Amino acid sequence: MMTIGCIRINNMTFYTYNGVFPEEQKLGQKLEIDAELGYPIEQRVQHDELSETVSYADVYETIKNFVHDHHYRLIESLANHLLTKLLNDYPRLTAVTLRIRKYGVPMAGVYDNVEIEVHGGQNHD
C-alpha cells in the first residue's frame, strides 16, 4: 500500500519588503504562505511520539525566520529559495509544496491577490 501522508500549515501571514518596485521595497506588503509537507505519517507515526514526525512548529519557525531575513525582487525567487531550505533542513520530508500569495500588488485591475506555487521532492538517489 502506497502512503502519501501530508502535513499542511495554512495562511501563515508575514509582513515583508519583497518587490520589484521601490514602493514595495520601502513600504512592504503582506504575504501569505501555505506549506504542504509530504511525509509518510501512516507508516512512521506509530507510538504517538513527536520524534516520529516532523514538527510543524519547527517548520513554521524556519519559514518565519527565512521570510523575515531574506528580501527578493520576485516572490518566485523567495519561493524557490525557501523550498530548497525546507528540503535541506528537513530531509525526512518526501516533498514540499509552497503557495505564496502577495497582496497590494501595484497592478491595475480588480483581484484579491497574486499567488505562485512551487513544488519539490527529495533526491534520494
Side-chain angles (χ1 to χ4, degrees), residues 2-15:
M2 184 176 167
T3 59
I4 48 174
C6 174
I7 299 166
R8 290 187 183 94
I9 309 172
N10 297 316
N11 290 322
M12 293 174 277
T13 303
F14 306 103
Y15 199 81

Side-chain angles (χ1 to χ4, degrees), residues 3-45:
T3 59
I4 48 174
C6 174
I7 299 166
R8 290 187 183 94
I9 309 172
N10 297 316
N11 290 322
M12 293 174 277
T13 303
F14 306 103
Y15 199 81
T16 69
Y17 295 88
N18 297 288
V20 172
F21 299 104
E23 312 85 61
E24 294 178 292
Q25 295 171 15
K26 182 178 179 185
L27 301 175
Q29 74 286 118
K30 178 175 81 166
L31 290 184
E32 287 180 352
I33 300 176
D34 299 337
E36 185 173 301
L37 314 170
Y39 185 71
I41 297 166
E42 304 89 342
Q43 292 174 340
R44 303 262 173 88
V45 180

Side-chain angles (χ1 to χ4, degrees), residues 48-116:
D48 199 29
E49 297 290 335
L50 183 57
S51 63
E52 296 178 325
T53 190
V54 175
S55 167
Y56 44 83
D58 291 348
V59 173
Y60 175 84
E61 286 299 314
T62 299
I63 292 170
K64 179 183 81 169
N65 292 334
F66 188 89
V67 169
H68 286 147
D69 293 344
H70 296 82
H71 304 288
Y72 298 94
R73 292 168 47 89
L74 303 175
I75 59 172
E76 292 87 343
S77 296
L78 170 65
N80 282 335
H81 288 99
L82 179 55
L83 175 67
T84 298
K85 176 156 185 64
L86 292 173
L87 288 168
N88 288 337
D89 286 6
Y90 301 93
R92 298 170 82 184
L93 295 175
T94 58
V96 173
T97 299
L98 296 173
R99 282 177 293 284
I100 300 180
R101 288 176 295 284
K102 184 175 179 178
Y103 293 82
V105 178
M107 172 174 81
V110 178
Y111 56 92
D112 288 335
N113 57 62
V114 174
E115 179 178 86
I116 58 99

